[in-house]
Amino acid sequence: MTPTRGRRLGIDVGAVRVGVAMCDPDGILATPVETVPRDAEGGADVRRIAALVAEHDVVGVVLGLPRNLRGEDGPAAVAAREFAAALEAGLATAGCAVPVELTDERMTTVVATRQLAGRGVRGRRQRAVIDQQAAVAILQGWLDTTRGT
């Protein structure tokens, strides 16, 4: 089945920040968008992502599921599933309900860190964009996999 044409958001959820990436309407290339401060209590993070969905006419959200190396859910995967449920509810409330799909994201932050370090981005500058780069890796991996099927 060919995915619907349109922009998608890639999401890397962390305890402190949420990295956001977006692809072009043809689903070829993922690019960084922004880093949203995590707000588990107040929901400002979910509202910001809903605003991005509406602003860019997004047709779907791909959220990284950080399973452990054995492929099992640990605390981070449980938190990602909870965030996905909150995001689905927030999107519906905002009137821009789109599918939220979980995808395996093992090692994306490690890969993103190495890529940034290879380009000379380190320390505080790296922390500012690492979540966006991880979101790019999540979305690009999903795009490449779905395009290949």
Side-chain angles (χ1 to χ4, degrees):
M1 180 174 119
T2 304
T4 305
R5 184 178 187 277
R7 295 184 185 276
R8 285 178 172 72
L9 287 185
I11 305 289
D12 176 55
V13 180
V16 178
R17 294 173 298 274
V18 179
V20 183
M22 188 179 331
C23 70
D24 59 284
D26 293 320
I28 305 292
L29 184 64
T31 56
V33 174
E34 68 181 74
T35 302
V36 178
R38 187 77 165 89
D39 183 20
E41 300 299 319
D45 49 1
V46 168
R47 288 190 299 278
R48 177 62 189 143
I49 293 168
L52 289 168
V53 167
E55 179 182 339
H56 297 284
D57 296 321
V58 168
V59 299
V61 175
V62 178
L63 194 139
L65 181 62
R67 304 184 94 183
N68 65 28
L69 293 177
R70 292 185 306 272
E72 301 165 344
D73 283 8
V78 170
R81 289 183 189 281
E82 290 171 356
F83 185 83
L87 183 58
E88 284 179 327
L91 291 170
T93 299
C96 53
V98 298
V100 176
E101 182 177 338
L102 293 167
T103 189
D104 191 341
E105 67 133 311
R106 280 177 268 186
M107 306 301 288
T108 54
T109 301
V110 172
V111 170
T113 301
R114 288 182 182 156
Q115 288 174 341
L116 290 170
R119 290 186 284 194
V121 180
R122 299 188 194 286
R124 288 184 192 265
R125 287 182 44 227
Q126 189 180 69
R127 279 196 302 268
V129 295
I130 190 72
D131 301 294
Q132 291 176 39
Q133 193 65 36
V136 166
I138 290 165
L139 183 55
Q140 191 65 56
W142 183 90
L143 292 169
D144 294 345
T145 299
T146 56
R147 192 172 37 251
T149 57

